[in-house]
Structure formats: structure tokens, C-alpha cells
Amino acid sequence: MQYGYFDDEAKEYVITRPDTPSSWSNYLGSTVYGAVITNNAGGYGFYKSGAQGRFMRLRFNAVPMDQPGRYFYLRDNDSGDFWSASWQPVGKPLDQYKSECRHGTAYTQITSEYSDIKSETLYYVPLNQTFEYWRLKVTNTGSKPRKLSAFTYCELTSQWGTTQDQVNLQYSLFISKGEQKDNMLRFAIHDNLYHQDPEAPIGDGAMHSWMALCGSPLTGFDTNREAFIGTYGNYEHPDAVKNGKCTNSLAYGDNICGSMETEISLKPGESKEVIVMFGIGDAWAHGEPLVKEFGNAARADEELKKLKDTWHARLGSFIANTPDEDINHTINVWGLYNCLITFAWSRAASLVYNGERDGLGYRDSVQDILGVAAAIPEEAEERLVRMLSGQVRCGGAIPVITKDHNPGHEKAPKPEEFRSDDCLWFFNSVPAFIAETGKWDFLNKVVPYGDEGEDTVYGHLKQALLFNLERMGANGLPCGLLADWNDCLKLGYKGESLFVAFQLRLGLTTYSDISTRLGNKAESEWALIERDKLDKAIQAKCWDGEWFIWAITETGLVYGTKTMEEGQVYFNTQVWSVLSNAATPEQAKKCLETVKAKLATPYGLMLCAPPFVMASSKVMSSVVFNPGIKENAGIFNHTQGWGVIAEALMGNGDRAFEYCKAALPASYNDKAEIRQSEPYVVGQTTYSTYSPRAGNCRVSWLSGAATWNYYSTTQYILGIRPQYDGLLIDPCIPKTWDGFSVQRRWRGMKLSIEVKNPQHINKGIEYIEVDGQRVDAAVIPVDMINDGAKIVAYMGMDAREVPFERL
């Protein structure tokens, strides 16, 4: 079933049915003032922190999952009938109520028609501002005059700290109040403290927000939730709207709401617009000047244009025209937009994340850089430096980098708190950033360690390798420590992770290559010697005949062998044996065939199989999940791009494409009832065929899947992959494709790239033409490429061999 469509020209997803299988959301604002909004105007807002700065309330895990929100209620004052400008919360019958939602890049527009009234609501946060616009345009499409009342509604938290607001009610219900003056409402928490220290940190001092009505007279208001909703009322039928009048309540303790009432008279065919501004800060000191400057339609239009122009420019870093529309939708708009939002908010705030991850999760945030380096290289560099400064002197990392991170003065984690994979992700992100930007000198940049001392980026990379090399187990493989990438795997501190071994191998290869380029021969040779030792251990202990094992526990138990009834095959070690180039050609072929035979489903690749049922939770804690969900034989979407990359490296374009499409959200646009989550952004986990609800997807938006989905498609299927010294054109595509074209921004240049596939092969570049000049190689030297260059790459059976490239 289809609930909407992609409008790539407008860079929007258009929801044509409001009764989506779940609430389909979008993001507004920035990391300073952020907001989540759904297709029915549900969601919430937060200031700097989804956990400690949430000023608008959401009841997580409720039905519907997105209430309350940012609502406009409309009431016909002659008939007493009322509805909401979004389908919910009133929920009029859909045979009478029409609705369309356009989720765009940091804005959402909802258009509805009911009872000869058309309403258009538009929500967005202007760039670099700490307030949001709610714009309501109402049109009389009937033949008689109409007298309407419009009511705003949002529910404010009683304390911006999530736990305090939801749990500590004997405190939080006695610290808030609401005030009104002219066309503004003032919401205050700890208001007495504001007069003592207006600049006190959030949570310690006063917390203020405000709402203003522009372009229409204020005829009533409510700041007390129960006064507006009613003691026994609800969002569907609030008392104030039913009665046709707000009570002008001033909250004093208890729960605050923001409702402003205005009357709108419309002749047939007439339209009127109301602008609401909602922001952070004291209403009189901060809000009034902002209303004076921004509270008119002309300025609101100007701010919307700036917002769109800025976001659309970011999305212009890679534009593709392929034979597959689902891939086009993903690459050209939603895949990158998803990466950018995930980069900004890490895993901190969504309709599912409740602020419990308040900061930058270390390994997630390092990986997130891969998806955005081309679009926002300066911000990617800043993030890289920040994450490097979270590495401590021994080479491990602080698990979460908070907004108060103080490099050089942080306390290092205890030995038992280190995770084994954290800093190994730099061997993906740092080379990719340098290849993207050409900033080779980034390796010489001096960055402090989290706890003490400092080093160059190159030195940080060496410490990352030493951290794992100094923590090896009995079989010569890296210890899993508290956890490797899979947090459910409890091997014992000295248990050994083959996944981390493959990561370490890739790191050693990358470090050797960098050292050679820097002229550090001794360092390069050291890395290769260590890699040889690791290779011998891998080949001696980890190959089970048709696939690689999973891991070895501290007690010597080997996971992931043919003799195991549960978790027999582990996805990560199969594909990373190829990504790290650790597998022999024969092993690579066999283990990928095992992935296809034992882990592939129509909805993506399972993390392991069969699921765990009898395993001890002390070793394999994924047993707590139902079979077919998350780490217990579910489809963990973070990993799907690794399967695509592995098949592309092996030249299997048809299978790489098959895996890509199985996990691609856009592929489910016409069967959204199966996936249920948004068809325009990734989710964390999809239920596998071990579940009775195979294909259901959960935890949308903020996932490592965003980066690997986008990165694997653009750089390995389409194969346009920056190198230190040039641009590699090495696609691995379905044989049925005639080719494709891309507009690519790289190192300040705009490039036009066309790939032709006349012989209908999967992989192999015969030659390339750069502005008519032939290049008999797959890598175009950087000095041959100029701004505006036209590049044509020809695939062919006589293709020159492309050497193994790092991930």
C-alpha cells in the first residue's frame, strides 16, 4: 500500500494519506534549537539537549506515538463543528477530510481540506535562530461567508530535564507559571531564579519560552493545560474548542500549555494568514525584539528561502541519474539528508530516543562522518577533531562525548570500561576525509588527548593501533573488552573478537600506506609486520571451512562454527573478511555464498542465524530479544552497507544491487504497510523471517545505517570514490544498466560524470575521457581535473584490473 510519493524536484516527500502505519517524522532546526514534527503535526522541541533541554512535551510510547504536538484547531462558530489543521488530533473521517503533508529539508507543510475550508500550515526554524514559525493560511473554498476561530495548542514541560518532568512530579508541578501581555504568552520555570542569575545553565536556573501571535488579533488564550483540555478532556475534543472560547487561564504550577485564540472571517474565495512564533528565552527580554523583527509574512518568507537554499546546497554535493528511481530518491535527497540529521543529533532525540543518549556516541559519530564529508567538509573536520580529542592517551576512547567535553582534562575510562572498536573507525573516516578534501596536512594537525598530552592526527592513529595490539588474547586476536561493535556479545574481557581483528587489519594496512606516503618507511614496515602476525592467527584459528567464526570467549568457547545450533553464522565477520582483505580469494567467495544462503532475506541481511534461544545471557545477551529482532537474528540495518561493499569489491554487481534494494527504505514506498516506518529514511532494525512480522522496521532516522546506506551506494555501487591523489571511477552495477550519470562536488570543483556500460557487465573500467583526454586507468589524477570537467567512463570486458582499495 502506498501512502505518499517522492518529489525530488522540490526535495520533499509527499504524504497523501494521513493514516500512515506509524507517525512519519521530520526534523526542524539545528543542534541549538531542534524539533521533531510528524505528518500530523505531532512531536516536540528541545534546546541544545534532547534530555536536559526539552521544552515541549511528548509522551513516549503512547498511541498515537507522536502526541501532543504543534496543533491548530479550527472551529466554525455558526455550526460549532471543529477540526484540526492536521488530521490528528481531532481525526475527522477521511471520506470527509483530505490531507497532504510535505516533509522537506528542515520544514514541514500540511495542507488540509474540510467543510469547504482549506488550511495550509507551515513549520520551520529559521537559520541560526532559537524560535520556530507556525504559519497558518486559511481559505474559504465555499460559496458562503464563514466565521471561524483558530486555536493554537502545544504542551510545555514542567521542567526541561526529561526525568524531572515525567517522574519528579512533587517538584516539577510547582515551579512553572504562565503570563500574557498583548499578543504574547510568557512561560516560566524557576522564574524567581531568573531575577537572580539570568545566565545560569539550563536546569540550574530559570527556563523560559514564549509564544506570539502575528497578523491577527488575540481574542483569548490559555496557559493552563487543564483549563484548555478539560479535567476529563483530551486532545481530540478539548473543552476550549468545544465551548468556542479560551478561559484566559494563567498557569501557576501544574501543567503549562500554549493556546492563543483568534477569530477569522472569510468571504467566499478569501484567504487569511496567521503567523505564530514560538521560542526560547524570556518573552519580554528576548521574544519581543524577535517578534518586532521577524513577525511578518515578508520576513518569514525570506527566512524560509534562506533555509531551503542552505539545505539544498548541501544536498548538491552528489546528484545521480540512474535507471533505478529508488536509488535516485535516496542519493539525491533523503539518503544524504538522513546522514546530515544523524550527524547533527547522533542518537539523542527522536520519537523513540528519549534523550538517554545525550551526547556523541563515540564510534557512531566517527562513522557518521563518512556520510557527510562531501556535503559539509568543514563541519566534518571539526567533528573529526572533536572525536580525536575524546581518545585518551592509551589509545582507547571515552564512550560518549558530551557538550561539556574538556580535552586534556577528562578522566580516562577504567580499563574494564573500554570498548575494542571505538578508535578503529578512524581508519575509515580519516582517509575518507583526506581523500575528499585533499587536506593531507590534516595528519599533522596536533589534537589533545582526552585525558592528558597531545599528538598529531597521525600519532592518534598509531595509538589506536597500539591500544588493540597491546590487548591481545590467547589466540593472537584482539580482545573484545567491554564490547566490540556488537554490544550484546559478552566474551569476557580477554575474549577475542574476530570482527575487531578484521578492523585492526584494515587499520594496519591503512597506517602502512599513510606512513609510506609520509616517507616513514620504518612505521610502514612495522605495520605490515604486525599485520602478518594477525593474518597467521586469523588463518590458524578462524576459518571453519565455509565461513569465518564469530569470536572466542575468555574460556575458549568458539562462537560461529558448524557445530553450533544457535548463532552459527555471523554476518559481520564474513563481510569484513572481504572489506579488510584478510580473506583469501577462495575464502571470500565461500563466505559470501554462505551469507547469501543462510543470512539473506527479502528485507535485508540478518546479523546472525539461527537465532539464540538457549544461550546464556551472560555471554550472548541478544538472547533477551525475540528471535528475528535486533541482534538476535534480526536485520540490523547498520550493517547492510557492508554487505553491499563486500559484493562490490568482489565484482558481484547484481548481488550488491539486490542487497542494496532489499534494505533501501524507498524500495518499500508501495508496500509501506510491511515496513511501517518512513519510506524515506533508514531504521535501526528490521524484523527478519524468523519473526512472524517480517519486514517491520523500527527506530527511524538516527542510525549508523544512514551513513553506510548512502556511502555504499554512492562510493561502491556507483563507485565514485575519492582517493588521496585522484578520483577513482569504479562502479559495480547491475548488468542490465546501460550506465548512469552523476553531478559531483569534489575539492571545490563541480564535475559532470557519465558512466557508459555498452557491454552490460557488472564491473570494470576500460578507459576514461576527461574533457576529451583519454586516461587508461580507473583513477583520474587530480591534476587532470578542473572545475566544470566533463568525465566519461567506459566499462568494458578488457578493463584493466583495479587493485584492492581500502574501505
Side-chain angles (χ1 to χ4, degrees):
M1 187 178 295
Q2 189 167 329
Y3 289 80
Y5 64 92
F6 292 89
D7 184 345
D8 287 356
E9 184 175 352
K11 294 180 171 51
E12 297 171 341
Y13 185 83
V14 185
I15 299 170
T16 54
R17 288 187 53 171
D19 58 337
T20 49
S22 63
S23 298
W24 288 0
S25 59
N26 192 18
Y27 280 78
L28 313 178
S30 68
T31 54
V32 176
Y33 185 106
V36 177
I37 188 169
T38 72
N39 54 305
N40 282 307
Y44 62 101
F46 41 100
Y47 179 63
K48 293 186 178 180
S49 166
Q52 302 304 319
R54 187 181 307 153
F55 53 85
M56 288 181 65
R57 183 177 286 151
L58 180 80
R59 287 176 181 81
F60 283 80
N61 207 25
V63 178
M65 67 184 294
D66 65 337
Q67 291 188 359
R70 298 165 169 80
Y71 299 139
F72 282 106
Y73 293 93
L74 296 172
R75 185 181 189 275
D76 187 305
N77 289 330
D78 291 326
S79 68
D81 190 18
F82 63 89
W83 60 99
S84 41
S86 49
W87 178 52
Q88 292 290 320
V90 175
K92 288 292 187 179
L94 289 177
D95 60 350
Q96 303 172 30
Y97 187 99
K98 296 180 181 180
S99 178
E100 177 187 272
C101 171
R102 286 182 169 265
H103 281 324
T105 48
Y107 66 91
T108 287
Q109 182 173 28
I110 301 171
T111 301
S112 299
E113 295 181 41
Y114 174 77
S115 184
D116 291 333
I117 296 294
K118 178 180 179 181
S119 63
E120 300 166 79
T121 55
L122 182 60
Y123 301 92
Y124 57 100
V125 177
L127 292 172
N128 304 315
Q129 297 298 328
T130 55
F131 73 88
E132 57 189 85
Y133 281 118
W134 309 1
R135 301 179 64 176
L136 171 68
K137 181 180 178 182
V138 185
T139 302
N140 181 358
T141 62
S143 58
K144 61 179 183 179
R146 302 291 290 274
K147 294 181 179 180
L148 307 176
S149 288
F151 303 80
T152 68
Y153 182 79
C154 67
E155 195 166 311
L156 286 82
T157 54
S158 297
Q159 217 276 7
W160 289 6
T162 304
T163 303
Q164 297 290 344
D165 175 61
Q166 295 289 326
V167 177
N168 194 6
L169 300 185
Q170 61 83 29
Y171 148 72
S172 63
L173 292 181
F174 307 104
I175 59 175
S176 59
K177 65 181 182 180
E179 297 177 308
Q180 179 265 336
K181 184 175 72 173
D182 300 328
N183 66 332
M184 293 189 70
L185 301 180
R186 179 179 186 262
F187 313 112
I189 299 168
H190 292 168
D191 198 31
N192 294 338
L193 300 183
Y194 178 71
H195 304 292
Q196 298 175 25
D197 184 4
E199 304 302 323
I202 295 173
D204 296 332
M207 290 156 271
H208 283 86
S209 53
W210 52 271
M211 177 179 280
L213 180 68
C214 310
S216 190
L218 183 72
T219 56
F221 66 90
D222 272 309
T223 64
N224 180 280
R225 184 185 69 178
E226 279 66 28
F228 182 82
I229 296 290
T231 304
Y232 298 99
N234 54 44
Y235 303 129
E236 183 181 357
H237 300 102
D239 279 4
V241 180
K242 284 192 298 183
N243 298 333
K245 192 67 180 174
C246 284
T247 66
N248 295 345
S249 61
L250 293 174
Y252 194 81
D254 295 324
N255 291 281
I256 325 171
C257 75
S259 182
M260 308 184 85
E261 175 193 347
T262 189
E263 294 181 358
I264 303 173
S265 297
L266 295 170
K267 299 174 184 177
E270 187 179 13
S271 298
K272 289 184 179 178
E273 182 176 18
V274 175
I275 296 176
V276 173
M277 297 171 63
F278 184 95
I280 294 299
D282 179 71
W284 322 137
H286 300 95
E288 282 188 336
L290 288 171
V291 172
K292 184 176 181 180
E293 180 179 356
F294 291 90
N296 60 81
R299 184 59 183 270
D301 288 342
E302 180 183 334
E303 295 301 323
L304 179 63
K305 183 179 185 303
K306 288 195 296 186
L307 182 73
K308 287 184 178 182
D309 289 347
T310 297
W311 277 99
H312 292 182
R314 293 171 180 171
L315 299 183
S317 60
F318 198 116
I319 302 295
N321 182 13
T322 78
D324 189 272
E325 285 302 312
D326 294 335
I327 285 183
N328 294 342
H329 300 321
T330 302
I331 291 174
N332 297 341
V333 183
W334 289 98
L336 180 52
Y337 182 51
N338 195 171
C339 286
L340 290 164
I341 294 297
T342 302
F343 173 84
W345 284 107
S346 189
R347 312 298 181 266
S350 70
L351 291 180
V352 175
Y353 286 122
N354 196 10
E356 68 276 14
R357 300 188 183 188
D358 195 25
L360 299 173
Y362 200 87
R363 53 193 172 184
D364 286 338
S365 294
V366 175
Q367 291 171 79
D368 289 344
I369 291 164
L370 290 171
V372 302
I376 50 171
E378 293 83 8
E379 293 174 57
E381 181 174 1
E382 290 175 7
R383 178 65 56 80
L384 261 178
V385 171
R386 185 168 182 79
M387 301 315 293
L388 283 162
S389 75
Q391 182 189 36
V392 294
R393 186 74 201 185
C394 71
I398 299 167
V400 177
I401 306 302
T402 68
K403 63 180 183 299
D404 299 320
H405 176 59
N406 188 12
H409 303 281
E410 298 285 359
K411 184 178 180 180
K414 298 177 181 177
E416 63 271 18
E417 295 174 342
F418 282 117
R419 299 177 304 198
S420 53
D421 67 313
D422 278 340
C423 291
L424 291 177
W425 294 108
F426 283 121
F427 294 100
N428 304 110
S429 62
V430 170
F433 169 76
I434 294 172
E436 184 66 50
T437 62
K439 291 186 175 182
W440 186 254
D441 195 51
F442 180 71
L443 291 165
N444 297 320
K445 186 179 184 67
V446 175
V447 178
Y449 287 104
D451 52 348
E452 60 181 4
E454 62 184 20
D455 213 334
T456 62
V457 172
Y458 178 61
H460 278 265
L461 296 179
K462 175 71 175 288
Q463 284 303 118
L465 297 173
L466 289 173
F467 176 82
N468 292 100
L469 290 170
E470 291 168 358
R471 292 162 177 79
M472 303 292 275
N475 296 285
L477 303 174
C479 294
L481 309 182
L482 177 65
D484 67 1
W485 174 90
N486 188 338
D487 290 336
C488 291
L489 185 61
K490 306 299 181 185
L491 300 171
Y493 196 75
K494 293 185 178 179
E496 295 161 275
S497 167
L498 181 56
F499 173 65
V500 172
F502 289 143
Q503 281 192 295
L504 179 58
R505 189 190 194 281
L506 177 66
L508 290 165
T509 301
T510 303
Y511 183 78
S512 174
D513 177 44
I514 289 173
S515 297
T516 298
R517 293 170 183 270
L518 290 174
N520 294 342
K521 183 179 179 182
E523 285 295 300
S524 177
E525 291 176 349
W526 167 82
L528 295 180
I529 290 170
E530 294 296 332
R531 190 182 71 179
D532 288 343
K533 294 178 188 177
L534 189 60
D535 283 345
K536 289 176 182 178
I538 291 170
Q539 291 300 326
K541 301 291 183 179
C542 303
W543 179 247
D544 198 47
E546 293 182 61
W547 60 81
F548 284 95
I549 66 166
W550 184 322
I552 305 173
T553 71
E554 195 171 46
T555 59
L557 177 63
V558 180
Y559 267 97
T561 67
K562 294 177 183 177
T563 60
M564 297 197 70
E565 295 182 2
E566 300 177 355
Q568 189 181 70
V569 179
Y570 184 46
F571 174 75
N572 285 10
T573 50
Q574 313 320 312
V575 293
W576 271 80
S577 73
V578 179
L579 271 53
S580 66
N581 212 24
T584 66
E586 182 181 2
Q587 288 172 337
K589 183 177 180 180
K590 282 187 176 181
C591 69
L592 290 185
E593 285 303 320
T594 297
V595 168
K596 175 63 177 174
K598 294 183 177 291
L599 300 179
T601 80
Y603 311 105
L605 299 159
M606 293 183 288
L607 189 61
C608 65
F612 294 97
V613 177
M614 301 304 296
S616 170
S617 62
K618 294 181 180 179
V619 177
M620 191 60 63
S621 64
S622 60
V623 73
V624 303
F625 298 119
N626 293 341
I629 299 178
K630 287 177 74 79
E631 287 92 342
N632 194 13
I635 298 163
F636 212 85
N637 289 312
H638 188 143
T639 69
Q640 300 304 296
W642 301 344
V644 172
I645 293 170
E647 293 291 355
L649 290 172
M650 295 292 289
N652 302 327
D654 292 319
R655 188 174 290 176
F657 181 72
E658 174 192 342
Y659 290 167
C660 173
K661 288 281 286 185
L664 203 66
S667 298
Y668 296 87
N669 193 51
D670 60 353
K671 42 185 181 287
E673 76 283 0
I674 295 175
R675 190 171 187 271
Q676 298 186 340
S677 293
E678 298 93 333
Y680 46 90
V681 291
V682 301
Q684 180 205 72
T685 187
T686 300
Y687 294 4
S688 79
T689 46
Y690 283 104
S691 160
R693 291 162 52 189
N696 285 187
C697 185
R698 297 290 182 267
V699 193
S700 64
W701 278 99
L702 305 183
S703 166
T707 280
W708 290 107
N709 174 302
Y710 180 76
Y711 182 74
S712 63
T713 305
T714 55
Q715 300 213 13
Y716 286 86
I717 289 182
L718 301 189
I720 300 173
R721 195 153 66 251
Q723 306 293 290
Y724 298 140
D725 302 321
L727 188 65
L728 172 65
I729 312 292
D730 183 29
C732 190
I733 58 177
K735 292 177 182 176
T736 55
W737 283 17
D738 294 323
F740 61 90
S741 61
V742 166
Q743 302 296 314
R744 179 66 151 90
R745 192 164 65 229
W746 183 55
R747 300 190 187 181
M749 299 179 288
K750 294 181 179 180
L751 310 179
S752 176
I753 303 169
E754 183 178 5
V755 173
K756 296 185 176 183
N757 187 21
Q759 299 177 38
H760 289 276
I761 61 173
N762 288 137
K763 187 180 179 78
I765 292 296
E766 189 170 350
Y767 68 96
I768 300 173
E769 293 176 348
V770 182
D771 290 330
Q773 184 176 354
R774 180 166 172 143
V775 179
D776 288 316
V779 177
I780 309 168
V782 67
D783 58 9
M784 283 190 65
I785 306 175
N786 298 305
D787 187 24
K790 297 187 183 302
I791 300 168
V792 183
Y794 295 86
M795 300 176 68
M797 296 299 291
D798 297 328
R800 287 163 171 75
E801 182 180 354
V802 177
F804 173 79
E805 296 288 342
R806 70 183 189 287
L807 174 61

